[in-house]
Amino acid sequence: MKSTIYGLLGGLLIVTGVSQVGDGAETGLDDRKLFRFEFDNDLVGDSDDFFSAGWSLQLHHPAASSWDDLDLVGASDWITSHVPGLSSDGDVFVRRGWSIGQVIQTPSDLSETELIVDDVPYAGTLGLSSSWTVLNDDKLNAFQIYIGMVGPASFAEEVQTFVHVDLDMGSEPMGWDNQIDNEPLFNLNYLVARKLARTGDADGLSADLSAGGSVALGNFFTSAQCGLQGRFGWNVPGGFTHAPDLSGRGIALDPTLEPAGYDKTRFYFTAIARGTAVAHTVLLDGNLDGDSHSTDYEPTLGQVITGMHYSKGSIGAHFNVYLTTNPAEDTSKSDLVWANLSVDYRF
């Protein structure tokens, strides 16, 4: 497993370069890094079919006033100069982020050892991402490069077997010999969001509404998405709220703006409604060579995400519940309800 992770990390470092962040004192914003752990599971739906589980570890640098404040090397300088919307000109802040994450997908019957042709494939992914974000309290633009692996090299079988068997948290999955084969994954993801309305006091009770969209291009996901995001609560942070998508599906980023020295408790709720059109996903289409198991699915899906968020000082916690229409309803019987728990630590 170490060789796979080191290989992915080396490739991503070569592609994107490494950046160092200044002390952030001139921005008036929090100058601490953000470490985030995200865990997804379908426990809410009381099932373990279709999407089974996922996790990611993320590191996000403090916001800087411009890309000139970051010591960018490798492709990062080219990306920020040439990708539309990533210019740091004007009244905006910039931020870099890194992530490693895994996704596990299984059919309904975990006891069957033979290929289940009328259900979704056994599949696992493991990958690394690097993101660039430009934002203020009114707009957000973000770009991400993802590289990874699908297949046995993702170690999805080992992780699920450990959780189900060694930790005695489920039945033993018997069909991993039928999983999607090894294939390198490469994806480009781009996101935009704009604040439509806000009301209330930023240091009290407030609410806001945003609209946004994203596109993904690659052999992991090729899709387009649009939606609305609403936030309501006490001491809602500046910027936007992160929708914790499965690793590689969306962009791993920190879209909030925290003032330096802010010590009040933040407690607020979010609601997101969005629609997605999918042209390709390796999780259902299988390997590009067409030799692996695949399943038919609807190219469009709808999703509602409700969230509850708390932060105080260095610690933050976020709980989101996902309600998603089933794109493979004819094969998978899952209702695609799952939960995400994210924990933040600023240091």
Side-chain angles (χ1 to χ4, degrees):
M1 183 172 183
K2 287 184 178 179
S3 61
T4 300
I5 294 174
Y6 291 160
L8 294 176
L9 181 58
L12 194 62
L13 289 174
I14 291 172
V15 170
T16 65
V18 179
S19 64
Q20 298 294 326
V21 179
D23 59 16
E26 296 182 358
T27 68
L29 298 177
D30 196 319
D31 61 358
R32 295 174 295 176
K33 297 181 178 68
L34 174 69
F35 171 79
R36 175 184 293 138
F37 168 67
E38 292 186 356
F39 176 71
D40 302 90
N41 197 279
D42 61 354
L43 291 176
V44 173
D46 193 27
S47 64
D48 207 52
D49 55 331
F50 207 161
F51 168 68
S52 178
W55 60 266
S56 73
L57 300 174
Q58 304 172 22
L59 177 65
H60 302 284
H61 292 299
S65 297
S66 74
W67 295 120
D68 291 336
D69 296 333
L70 309 184
D71 185 15
L72 299 180
V73 299
S76 285
D77 186 49
W78 188 93
I79 289 171
T80 57
S81 300
H82 291 82
V83 174
L86 292 190
S87 171
S88 59
D89 294 339
D91 185 19
V92 296
F93 301 99
V94 298
R95 182 177 278 138
R96 292 281 278 114
W98 300 83
S99 173
I100 178 173
Q102 184 181 56
V103 175
I104 301 174
Q105 173 184 280
T106 62
S108 301
D109 187 358
L110 298 182
S111 65
E112 178 58 62
T113 59
E114 300 299 321
L115 175 65
I116 306 174
V117 296
D118 59 350
D119 206 337
V120 299
Y122 274 91
T125 66
L126 178 66
L128 292 146
S129 68
S130 182
S131 64
W132 297 258
T133 304
V134 174
L135 78 159
N136 55 29
D137 198 39
D138 295 308
K139 73 174 187 178
L140 167 68
N141 298 334
F143 175 72
Q144 176 179 276
I145 295 177
Y146 172 95
I147 64 171
M149 288 292 296
V150 64
S154 71
F155 297 95
E157 176 183 2
E158 288 80 356
V159 170
Q160 188 179 53
T161 300
F162 173 77
V163 172
H164 281 218
V165 179
D166 297 301
L167 300 183
D168 195 25
M169 297 181 66
S171 58
E172 182 176 2
M174 304 297 293
W176 276 105
D177 286 344
N178 307 298
Q179 70 177 298
I180 293 174
D181 296 330
N182 280 330
E183 179 182 313
L185 300 176
F186 182 79
N187 236 80
L188 303 177
N189 296 53
Y190 187 82
L191 177 150
V192 297
R194 297 292 183 268
K195 197 73 62 70
L196 299 179
R198 59 171 60 87
T199 185
D201 184 355
D203 286 325
L205 189 63
S206 66
D208 61 32
L209 178 67
S210 306
S214 63
V215 293
L217 179 64
N219 63 328
F220 190 171
F221 276 98
T222 296
S223 62
Q225 179 174 274
C226 62
L228 294 172
Q229 176 191 104
R231 306 189 300 173
F232 170 79
W234 291 264
N235 303 322
V236 178
F240 299 79
T241 295
H242 172 53
D245 285 311
L246 304 181
S247 176
R249 184 189 187 279
I251 298 180
L253 75 164
D254 175 15
T256 61
L257 296 172
E258 288 283 350
Y262 193 89
D263 62 356
K264 292 184 179 180
T265 297
R266 299 191 186 277
F267 183 67
Y268 59 101
F269 302 89
T270 56
I272 301 172
R274 61 191 189 183
T276 306
V278 180
H280 172 82
T281 169
V282 70
L283 298 175
L284 298 178
D285 288 305
N287 298 117
L288 288 179
D289 61 16
D291 291 337
S292 66
H293 180 206
S294 62
T295 189
D296 294 332
Y297 61 93
E298 292 294 326
T300 59
L301 60 92
Q303 189 173 65
V304 173
I305 309 169
T306 57
M308 182 171 60
H309 311 266
Y310 168 86
S311 65
K312 172 70 173 178
S314 299
I315 302 298
H318 314 270
F319 182 74
N320 291 274
V321 176
Y322 289 68
L323 309 175
T324 303
T325 58
N326 192 338
E329 187 174 359
D330 291 340
T331 55
S332 172
K333 304 307 179 184
S334 171
D335 53 8
L336 291 191
V337 180
W338 73 87
N340 170 278
L341 175 64
S342 300
V343 179
D344 298 340
Y345 177 67
R346 295 187 182 274
F347 62 100

